Amino acid sequence: ATSSMMETEAANHRGYYTVGAMQETNRSVTFEKSLRLIVPDEANGGKDETDTKEKKIYGIDEIRDLQSKLMLIGGNKGRQHDAGQMGKDCFLKVY
């Protein structure tokens, strides 16, 4: 659960979606092949698509998996829960 929340926080703060055919795609373009969530490493933070710095790239299956994990996360009421809920809500709304 903590890992999912950390991924969500990183996606909310540094991540961006790209939509379109990937350069290496020679076949027909489908939604599943054209949507990606890119989260640059916190230390690098570059948002250039050609940037070679470390980044995590989520395909649609990984995005859906993260969404499913977030839907299962619960927790105690309190300040930490409220902050986690806001991050979860933000990720789900953007997605």
Side-chain angles (χ1 to χ4, degrees):
T2 303
S3 174
S4 297
M5 290 305 293
M6 289 176 19
E7 288 180 85
T8 301
E9 184 177 320
N12 288 343
H13 291 284
R14 298 183 309 278
Y16 58 98
Y17 285 93
T18 61
V19 180
M22 292 180 237
Q23 293 175 342
E24 63 273 4
T25 303
N26 293 328
R27 299 181 191 166
S28 62
V29 177
T30 64
F31 175 74
E32 285 75 17
K33 294 178 186 176
S34 63
L35 179 69
R36 295 185 299 173
L37 170 61
I38 301 172
V39 182
D41 183 23
E42 184 174 19
N44 297 318
K47 287 192 174 185
D48 184 353
E49 187 66 23
T50 60
D51 195 349
T52 59
K53 296 176 182 172
E54 290 294 317
K55 57 188 157 200
K56 178 140 176 134
I57 300 173
Y58 296 82
I60 190 70
D61 290 334
E62 291 89 5
I63 297 169
R64 287 179 177 154
D65 185 49
L66 183 55
Q67 178 189 23
S68 295
K69 289 176 185 176
L70 290 173
M71 298 305 289
L72 296 173
I73 293 175
N76 299 330
K77 298 275 181 198
R79 186 175 290 160
Q80 187 176 8
H81 170 75
D82 293 343
Q85 186 64 41
M86 286 176 45
K88 181 170 76 168
D89 291 346
C90 179
F91 178 85
L92 296 173
K93 183 177 181 180
V94 171
Y95 173 63

